[in-house]
Amino acid sequence: MTMTTPTVANVLHTAYQKSVASYWNNERHPVNLLLGDIDGLYHHHYGIGDYDPSVLKGPEDTRDDRIIAEMHRLETTQAKVLLDHLGDISSSDHLLDAGCGRGGTSLMAHQRFGAQVDGVSISEQQVQFANDQARQRGVADKVRFHFRNMLDTGFETGSLRGIWNNESTMYVDLFELFAEHARQLEFGGRYVCITGCYNDVTGGRSRAVSRIDEHYICNIHPRSDYFRALAANNLIPINVIDLTADTIPYWELRAKSSVATGIEQPFLTAYREGSFHYLLIAADRI
Ligand code: GPP
Ligand code: MG
């Protein structure tokens, strides 16, 4: 590792990055914490797959617990699908979770592949939280979280077998991001992202997409930007999956839950009107 000691001054380069870091340092939504409390996998992404409608029935006093457990199952399924696309990973490989949040996907990746996983986030709170989880699981020697900028990680050139962004690309310029990913990946290394992107076919940002941007202080990219920026950086797609229809049930269930945050309707509107897609992209470094 070549980087000097990370400090706010050398990790957060812009006023925008400082405001994003501040959002995540202060974020304590029950929709994330109560779900993570179930099994110690704290996710900062959404879910995929149909929900079991029976969770809405049955005793009223336990209805909420059933809904929360079901939402957590759907978000854990999402992370499994992302990891399915990393290809063959061995325990001697090294992986990077770019924009790791509270570490759920990283911990799942280590559990599944035995590989060393490093996660980076510009939120010191998230990094600390995620490292606590790794310690509690006894995997802190193999899963480490760092206060670093994914645009400039300090990891060695060609040292990584796989990198993913699980819903974190909307915070950065894709050309800068994929240049840094391409630098770090070995030849034949795999990149996977799951993201929300707006639809070039229907035009620019719809009102619903703008509301999502505002809510998370992010900057959702058009679908076309992903492919331009990948191609410009020797990252060649092997799989592109439109998960939009698969994520709608998660949002429908979340809208009925006690932990809804108010962003449910913009997501449902954007997905249903076709101005927004939930996309998985897997690409190889050539
Ligand atoms: C993180 O999920 C959400 C984002 C990083 C923002 C944008 C994602 C898109 C697909 C546009 P979270 O689990 O922290 O959000 P919430 O608190 O709403 O559950
Ligand atoms: Mg969430």
Side-chain angles (χ1 to χ4, degrees):
M1 240 152 270
T2 53
M3 199 170 172
T4 47
T5 310
T7 63
V8 168
N10 62 25
V11 174
L12 304 177
H13 303 307
T14 63
Y16 170 69
Q17 289 172 4
K18 284 179 191 153
S19 58
V20 171
S22 153
Y23 174 92
W24 291 107
N25 281 333
N26 291 302
E27 187 275 336
R28 308 271 187 282
H29 291 148
V31 75
N32 299 317
L33 295 177
L34 291 183
L35 275 64
D37 286 347
I38 292 172
D39 61 359
L41 294 172
Y42 293 84
H43 295 306
H44 286 281
H45 56 255
Y46 311 122
I48 54 176
D50 287 335
Y51 67 81
D52 173 356
S54 75
V55 300
L56 298 168
K57 299 176 194 125
E60 193 58 38
D61 56 333
T62 51
R63 182 174 181 265
D64 236 39
D65 294 345
R66 288 193 301 277
I67 294 177
I68 284 170
E70 187 64 354
M71 285 170 61
H72 187 56
R73 186 180 70 78
L74 301 184
E75 59 181 19
T76 297
T77 301
Q78 188 267 24
K80 270 193 205 124
V81 168
L82 187 153
L83 298 176
D84 285 344
H85 286 84
L86 278 176
D88 291 329
I89 303 294
S90 77
S91 57
S92 58
D93 284 327
H94 188 176
L95 305 171
L96 173 66
D97 184 348
C100 59
R102 288 186 168 95
T105 308
S106 292
L107 292 166
M108 285 174 63
H110 172 67
Q111 201 166 35
R112 173 154 163 185
F113 304 118
Q116 180 184 331
V117 184
D118 284 85
V120 299
S121 167
I122 61 170
S123 161
E124 289 171 281
Q125 289 301 316
Q126 285 188 331
V127 167
Q128 202 177 70
F129 189 104
N131 277 324
D132 284 345
Q133 293 308 312
R135 264 190 296 275
Q136 282 174 34
R137 284 176 178 253
V139 296
D141 56 328
K142 296 288 270 179
V143 186
R144 299 187 186 93
F145 300 97
H146 314 267
F147 175 51
R148 293 190 194 186
N149 194 311
M150 62 173 147
L151 298 177
D152 172 22
T153 63
F155 291 112
E156 270 172 45
T157 298
S159 63
L160 302 178
R161 178 69 207 160
I163 301 179
W164 66 86
N165 285 100
N166 200 350
E167 292 183 20
S168 48
T169 50
M170 56 290 295
Y171 286 106
V172 293
D173 177 272
L174 294 179
F175 287 82
E176 284 181 51
L177 177 70
F178 296 158
E180 179 65 344
H181 286 354
R183 181 189 70 75
Q184 297 169 92
L185 282 172
E186 64 184 43
F187 183 84
R190 176 64 57 83
Y191 172 64
V192 183
C193 78
I194 295 184
T195 189
C197 55
Y198 76 76
N199 185 0
D200 304 81
V201 178
T202 58
R205 264 182 196 75
S206 66
R207 176 140 202 192
V209 168
S210 297
R211 284 188 58 192
I212 297 168
D213 271 348
E214 225 248 340
H215 183 88
Y216 294 103
I217 327 176
C218 66
N219 178 30
I220 291 167
H221 304 293
R223 175 158 41 115
S224 56
D225 267 11
Y226 282 88
F227 299 94
R228 287 201 187 98
L230 288 168
N233 287 291
N234 292 324
L235 291 163
I236 310 304
I238 174 86
N239 241 313
V240 178
I241 305 174
D242 181 0
L243 295 170
T244 307
D246 298 302
T247 193
I248 287 178
Y250 163 86
W251 287 103
E252 288 172 338
L253 183 62
R254 178 167 159 158
K256 295 186 214 288
S257 76
S258 67
V259 292
T261 61
I263 200 61
E264 292 73 21
Q265 282 314 315
F267 271 94
L268 286 166
T269 300
Y271 286 138
R272 286 175 182 151
E273 75 189 3
S275 66
F276 188 52
H277 322 289
Y278 197 50
L279 212 65
L280 179 148
I281 304 170
D284 287 327
R285 168 75 161 98
I286 59 158

